[in-house]
Amino acid sequence: MNALPAVLHHIDTECEAAVSRLFSLLRIKSISTDPAYKADCQRAAEWLVDDLASIGFEASIRDTPGHPMVVAHHDGPPGAPHVLFYGHYDVQPVDPLELWTRDPFDPAVRESEDGYQVIAGRGASDDKGQLMTFVEACRAYKAVGGVLPCKVTILFEGEEESGSPSMRAFLAANADELKADFALVCDTSQRDAMTPAICVGMRGLVEEEMTIHAASRDLHSGIYGGAAANPIRVLAKILGEIHDNDGRVTIHGFYDGVEETPSQVLASWEALGETAESFLGPIGLSVPSGEKGRSILELVWARPTAEFNGFSGGYTGKGFKTVIPAEASAKVSFRLVHKQDPANVRASFRKFVEERLPADCRVEFQSHDCSPAHQLPYDAPYLAAAKSALADEWTKAPIMRVVGGSIPVVGEFQAYLGLDSLLVGFALPNDRIHSPNEKYNLTSFHKGQRSWARILNALTRN
Amino acid sequence: MNALPAVLHHIDTECEAAVSRLFSLLRIKSISTDPAYKADCQRAAEWLVDDLASIGFEASIRDTPGHPMVVAHHDGPPGAPHVLFYGHYDVQPVDPLELWTRDPFDPAVRESEDGYQVIAGRGASDDKGQLMTFVEACRAYKAVGGVLPCKVTILFEGEEESGSPSMRAFLAANADELKADFALVCDTSQRDAMTPAICVGMRGLVEEEMTIHAASRDLHSGIYGGAAANPIRVLAKILGEIHDNDGRVTIHGFYDGVEETPSQVLASWEALGETAESFLGPIGLSVPSGEKGRSILELVWARPTAEFNGFSGGYTGKGFKTVIPAEASAKVSFRLVHKQDPANVRASFRKFVEERLPADCRVEFQSHDCSPAHQLPYDAPYLAAAKSALADEWTKAPIMRVVGGSIPVVGEFQAYLGLDSLLVGFALPNDRIHSPNEKYNLTSFHKGQRSWARILNALTRN
């Protein structure tokens, strides 16, 4: 007999108790970036270990050079999939404190301006409330039948808000213990309060800094203008050639590994009704800058980009100085999709620059972040399972969305554990994460638990 | 009977006395930019008025809102040309004082490292020594025959080193009194100690600052990259299109008014032996950046340029930030030659930018300096007179050079008095003007006086 109906019922009856447990966790000031809260971070990890142990997980604290990880294991039925669930227990600082309408670490259920019941407090949405949706789903399974439908490993991090400095080494050192069939990550948001979303992709990132060196010193343009190489001109010319008039990137080999998005996925994005006007209007723009002939959502979710994030050279203060500077610099970043190889993109970009460099100039490159894109195979069985589970809960098909930015842990799971990540989250765009008056809708918390219960059930049956 | 031989002889015998007079002027601390030396500036003007009056000029001090002008008149023979001679009695500050090997206002004749006798002191070369070459030539004419070969008006300024704030209004208010046939300006240098030079041209200048505005705020490139207009990209693309692959400026109408330099002038420049390697080598470069197929001296002396003097946008600090900025700015300047119209260049540039602007971006322009080029007609009779006079004195034809930068007073004489300026100066590239240990070669001072004596003589006979 399938346990799901009873599990969902249990979640519904336990609603208040679940909120109360979340409040206990929210009261712990686990601000990872501020050393003053080191003990609080430790306490949050301990709280989670105790809670997981109380529902039958083999849970432990794992020290790192920074704040500890929480690792927990629970067995599943033979033949059931093994999932690695990820969340983070650390939170952002609360400044400016005076903008909060109540103590950020004294959580409460309030009514929001738009009439929703919301849990108010730092971490309510990012990520304590979200990670507890999964824990509560497990608790319900255990309460109803004493077992979980899948084998579950849990990894809770305490340094997500401060750059995850310990994650790579931890994954490398504990890869055997953490390996699973795939990862579940609960740190993303829905499109709106009633429409579930699965993040099926995440753009990768290559960050490059370049400095063009020309003359051995700054020059007076009255004496050297028209004779000496001007590094601003050299740099502007090179950057100006990176996009063609149709918005395509002209770097040789840049599109290697970029796949076309399946037409039914494109159609589902089309159905969201997002237009260039609706997407760009709020920021005062109207004309998409990317490749012509593609929808605005395809541009930001499924196409690679080259963006210029900084340019400096010469005199940039008030007034004017007729200088020809000795050097000029730019910061350039590429958002990658699908199977684009970051190393190839970096090498092709450098070649593109070097080929356009005047004989007496030289270029210096500096690499910053570099991560591949993450793209779930659209035909993955666990994706189909999650889609149908979410559709059952929300009576609406989930949006297959892509995160334009990057969630580093997803790339690290791929690199160190060889795992794809299924990203399902219940946060909302107006949750004010990282800002004063962070909140998490009560329905996000409640239906999030029910969603995980359904997903775990669907994964087993797959 | 021509007075010239006797005048030259008089100059030779008066050499020591002339140096002693120059010393008196050099001892006056007429630093125009520092209010502490206001009385010294007044004293220098008075010294000049007294000296000019002593040789028969009708000389007076003219107050301005800043430091005074000195204006002096002396009649000439009927039919002789009327020249306006310009120089400035103010000097640059002397910091850092500790780098001077002697008190900058206690002049002395010393032997330089390269074995020349030099007059050491602030203003020795720029411009007290130079202006006194002309005064001494006049004194010699008066001593020998009691008359001058030309009608002479003298204008000495006291604010050249602090931007000439009073010059325009003074010229406008005294145009009738200052008008002459052409101007003589003694504030430029020779190519080397033995080769005289006439500056026959001076590039003009148009300075423009532009800011491209895109989104209403800074954006995260993970969310908006590939969708939102990036003003750095827009600006780089526009600047990158200003020069074609042959180094020519592509702005429509930019070359209107640019003339080809006469082939014999080009040949005389060719004969100077300056190459791309000799000109650019000392600053670490080797490849001319200007129009292909033109010599390095033609590029810096006779061709217009578009230079980018500053570019700023986005994040330019240490590390990386994946921002798409709301705006990006550049400072662009154009060096003009011949009859290029600054207003046309400015308008054509702005049109060039506007035509390339995406529909949802806007551009803001700010104008800075704007001055036309100054070019002596190569067939002007006074130019021929000066050439032959200088050739007689230096037993070497003078170089017809062009100043790549600008000397504002030359444009103002043109604008307010309708006068061309003949620029003859005896300073040397190693005179360290504006720097510690400024000097003026004794031969510069002595042969400068003889040169003016010969030029005045040649102008009369023309």
Side-chain angles (χ1 to χ4, degrees):
Chain A
M1 197 196 115
N2 189 298
L4 183 61
V7 168
L8 294 177
H9 179 72
H10 186 84
I11 287 172
D12 294 347
T13 57
E14 273 285 296
C15 192
E16 229 170 295
V19 169
S20 151
R21 280 186 287 270
L22 174 57
F23 278 14
S24 303
L25 180 57
L26 291 177
R27 286 190 195 101
I28 304 173
K29 303 175 180 180
S30 48
I31 302 171
S32 58
T33 198
D34 186 339
Y37 298 93
K38 186 169 171 52
D40 298 87
C41 290
Q42 177 78 22
R43 216 147 53 83
E46 283 165 3
W47 188 95
L48 285 162
V49 165
D50 291 347
D51 193 52
L52 289 167
S54 77
I55 56 173
F57 275 81
E58 188 194 316
S60 58
I61 285 202
R62 301 299 179 81
D63 288 337
T64 74
H67 303 303
M69 304 276 182
V70 170
V71 176
H73 298 284
H74 196 293
D75 217 354
H82 179 188
V83 301
L84 171 68
F85 181 86
Y86 167 88
H88 63 90
Y89 66 78
D90 64 320
V91 298
Q92 282 273 321
V94 295
D95 319 293
L97 193 57
E98 65 274 17
L99 294 186
W100 289 79
T101 56
R102 63 178 290 126
D103 180 346
F105 294 108
D106 178 20
V109 174
R110 315 290 297 260
E111 183 163 326
S112 69
E113 318 85 72
D114 50 354
Y116 285 95
Q117 293 293 105
V118 304
I119 300 162
R122 174 55 90 224
S125 174
D126 182 18
D127 187 47
K128 289 172 175 172
Q130 298 241 68
L131 71 82
M132 285 303 289
T133 58
F134 187 82
V135 174
E136 293 297 342
C138 292
R139 191 187 320 273
Y141 269 106
K142 291 286 290 189
V144 166
V147 294
L148 294 186
C150 300
K151 183 173 176 187
V152 175
T153 296
I154 284 178
L155 173 64
F156 291 146
E157 181 190 8
E159 301 181 318
E160 201 272 348
E161 302 293 4
S162 47
S164 301
S166 309
M167 182 57 82
R168 288 169 194 224
F170 188 80
L171 293 179
N174 299 277
D176 284 345
E177 183 184 350
L178 296 169
K179 263 179 190 148
D181 294 324
F182 51 90
L184 303 175
V185 174
C186 190
D187 198 16
T188 53
S189 58
Q190 303 191 154
R191 193 166 173 81
D192 61 54
M194 289 302 140
T195 314
I198 299 174
C199 177
V200 293
M202 215 179 59
R203 291 198 288 191
L205 185 60
V206 167
E207 294 175 346
E208 282 279 279
E209 190 167 348
M210 63 195 282
T211 301
I212 305 278
H213 298 271
S216 50
R217 59 177 175 85
D218 284 1
L219 305 173
H220 187 293
S221 80
I223 299 169
Y224 287 100
N230 182 327
I232 300 178
R233 173 175 153 198
V234 172
L235 190 49
K237 184 124 190 140
I238 291 172
L239 295 186
E241 289 178 3
I242 285 182
H243 299 86
D244 69 14
N245 289 331
D246 291 330
R248 269 180 76 86
V249 173
T250 62
I251 296 170
H252 184 75
F254 180 74
Y255 289 96
D256 290 355
V258 178
E259 294 163 358
E260 287 299 324
T261 302
S263 58
Q264 71 271 30
V265 175
L266 287 178
S268 74
W269 294 350
E270 211 57 54
L272 297 176
E274 191 81 85
T275 63
E277 292 70 29
S278 67
F279 189 83
L280 294 172
I283 53 167
L285 297 174
S286 60
V287 186
S289 67
E291 299 160 87
K292 288 201 175 127
R294 302 191 182 263
S295 76
I296 193 80
L297 287 183
E298 186 181 7
L299 286 177
V300 294
W301 286 355
R303 300 302 301 176
T305 68
E307 291 290 354
F308 310 145
N309 308 107
F311 193 132
S312 68
Y315 179 70
T316 58
K318 266 193 188 294
F320 214 95
K321 195 171 158 186
T322 52
V323 65
I324 298 179
E327 58 178 56
S329 299
K331 296 183 204 273
V332 177
S333 65
F334 301 92
R335 297 278 170 185
L336 309 187
V337 300
H338 312 137
K339 303 196 174 90
Q340 276 180 297
D341 178 348
N344 277 357
V345 166
R346 169 161 289 159
S348 303
F349 166 67
R350 293 184 172 192
K351 186 152 176 275
F352 182 93
V353 172
E354 281 156 359
E355 283 170 354
R356 282 158 181 79
L357 209 59
D360 55 3
C361 293
R362 71 187 168 84
V363 61
E364 208 178 341
F365 292 103
Q366 191 186 345
S367 291
H368 293 273
D369 271 8
C370 179
S371 61
H374 175 258
Q375 176 73 46
L376 277 192
Y378 280 107
D379 56 1
Y382 47 86
L383 179 56
K387 278 165 78 166
S388 83
L390 287 168
D392 286 347
E393 174 60 27
W394 299 80
T395 61
K396 201 169 182 182
I399 296 170
M400 302 290 98
R401 64 183 296 252
V402 173
V403 174
S406 58
I407 302 179
V409 76
V410 170
E412 286 155 8
F413 285 170
Q414 185 75 62
Y416 292 90
L417 309 178
L419 300 188
D420 277 336
S421 293
L422 182 70
L423 293 96
V424 178
F426 310 98
L428 291 174
N430 69 354
D431 276 355
R432 291 188 291 268
I433 64 168
H434 297 202
S435 298
N437 302 315
E438 179 176 350
K439 60 88 178 165
Y440 198 46
N441 282 22
L442 211 52
T443 52
S444 297
F445 187 53
H446 180 60
K447 287 174 78 69
Q449 297 169 41
R450 290 175 55 101
S451 295
W452 283 123
R454 288 185 191 273
I455 290 171
L456 287 174
N457 177 62
L459 287 171
T460 311
R461 296 154 55 103
N462 213 273
Chain B
M1 195 197 118
N2 189 299
L4 183 61
V7 168
L8 295 176
H9 181 71
H10 186 84
I11 287 173
D12 294 347
T13 57
E14 274 283 296
C15 193
E16 230 168 291
V19 168
S20 153
R21 282 186 288 270
L22 174 57
F23 280 12
S24 302
L25 181 56
L26 292 177
R27 286 191 194 101
I28 304 173
K29 304 177 182 178
S30 48
I31 302 170
S32 59
T33 199
D34 186 340
Y37 297 94
K38 187 169 171 52
D40 298 87
C41 290
Q42 177 77 21
R43 218 147 51 81
E46 284 164 2
W47 188 95
L48 285 163
V49 165
D50 292 347
D51 192 52
L52 289 167
S54 76
I55 56 174
F57 276 81
E58 189 195 314
S60 57
I61 284 205
R62 302 296 180 83
D63 288 338
T64 74
H67 304 302
M69 304 278 181
V70 171
V71 176
H73 299 284
H74 196 291
D75 217 355
H82 179 188
V83 301
L84 170 68
F85 180 86
Y86 166 88
H88 64 91
Y89 65 78
D90 63 319
V91 298
Q92 282 273 323
V94 295
D95 320 293
L97 192 57
E98 65 276 14
L99 294 186
W100 288 78
T101 57
R102 63 177 290 124
D103 180 346
F105 294 109
D106 178 21
V109 174
R110 315 290 296 262
E111 183 163 324
S112 68
E113 317 86 72
D114 50 354
Y116 286 95
Q117 293 293 106
V118 304
I119 299 163
R122 173 55 89 226
S125 174
D126 182 18
D127 184 45
K128 290 173 174 171
Q130 299 240 65
L131 70 84
M132 286 303 288
T133 58
F134 187 83
V135 174
E136 293 297 342
C138 292
R139 190 187 324 273
Y141 270 105
K142 290 287 289 188
V144 166
V147 295
L148 294 186
C150 300
K151 182 174 176 185
V152 174
T153 296
I154 284 178
L155 174 64
F156 291 145
E157 181 189 9
E159 300 181 318
E160 201 271 350
E161 302 293 4
S162 47
S164 300
S166 310
M167 181 56 81
R168 288 167 195 226
F170 188 79
L171 293 179
N174 299 278
D176 284 343
E177 183 185 351
L178 296 169
K179 265 180 188 148
D181 295 323
F182 50 90
L184 303 175
V185 174
C186 190
D187 199 14
T188 53
S189 58
Q190 302 190 155
R191 192 165 172 81
D192 60 54
M194 289 304 141
T195 313
I198 299 174
C199 176
V200 292
M202 217 178 58
R203 292 198 287 191
L205 184 62
V206 167
E207 294 176 345
E208 282 279 279
E209 189 168 346
M210 63 194 283
T211 300
I212 305 278
H213 298 273
S216 49
R217 58 176 174 86
D218 285 0
L219 306 172
H220 187 294
S221 80
I223 298 169
Y224 288 100
N230 183 327
I232 300 179
R233 173 175 152 197
V234 172
L235 190 49
K237 184 124 192 141
I238 291 172
L239 296 186
E241 289 178 4
I242 285 182
H243 299 85
D244 69 14
N245 289 331
D246 292 329
R248 269 180 77 86
V249 174
T250 61
I251 295 170
H252 185 75
F254 180 73
Y255 288 96
D256 289 357
V258 177
E259 293 163 357
E260 286 300 323
T261 303
S263 57
Q264 70 272 29
V265 175
L266 287 178
S268 74
W269 293 351
E270 210 57 53
L272 297 175
E274 191 81 86
T275 63
E277 291 69 29
S278 67
F279 189 83
L280 295 172
I283 53 166
L285 296 174
S286 59
V287 186
S289 66
E291 299 161 88
K292 289 203 173 123
R294 300 191 183 263
S295 76
I296 192 80
L297 287 183
E298 187 182 6
L299 286 177
V300 294
W301 286 356
R303 301 302 300 176
T305 68
E307 290 291 354
F308 311 144
N309 308 107
F311 194 131
S312 68
Y315 179 70
T316 59
K318 265 193 187 294
F320 214 96
K321 194 171 158 185
T322 52
V323 65
I324 298 179
E327 59 179 54
S329 299
K331 297 185 204 272
V332 177
S333 65
F334 302 92
R335 297 279 170 185
L336 309 187
V337 300
H338 312 135
K339 303 194 174 93
Q340 276 181 298
D341 178 348
N344 277 358
V345 167
R346 169 161 289 158
S348 303
F349 165 68
R350 292 184 173 193
K351 187 152 174 273
F352 182 93
V353 172
E354 280 156 359
E355 283 170 354
R356 283 158 180 78
L357 208 59
D360 54 3
C361 292
R362 72 189 167 82
V363 61
E364 208 177 341
F365 292 104
Q366 192 186 344
S367 290
H368 294 272
D369 272 7
C370 178
S371 60
H374 175 258
Q375 177 71 46
L376 276 193
Y378 280 105
D379 57 358
Y382 47 85
L383 179 56
K387 277 165 78 168
S388 81
L390 286 167
D392 287 348
E393 175 59 28
W394 298 81
T395 63
K396 201 170 183 182
I399 296 169
M400 303 289 96
R401 62 184 297 253
V402 173
V403 174
S406 58
I407 301 179
V409 77
V410 169
E412 286 155 9
F413 285 170
Q414 186 74 62
Y416 292 91
L417 308 180
L419 301 188
D420 278 336
S421 294
L422 181 70
L423 293 96
V424 178
F426 311 97
L428 291 174
N430 69 355
D431 276 355
R432 291 186 291 269
I433 65 169
H434 297 201
S435 298
N437 302 313
E438 178 176 350
K439 60 88 179 166
Y440 197 45
N441 283 22
L442 209 54
T443 51
S444 296
F445 188 52
H446 180 60
K447 287 175 80 66
Q449 298 168 41
R450 291 174 53 101
S451 295
W452 284 122
R454 289 184 189 272
I455 290 171
L456 288 173
N457 177 64
L459 288 171
T460 312
R461 297 154 53 103
N462 213 275

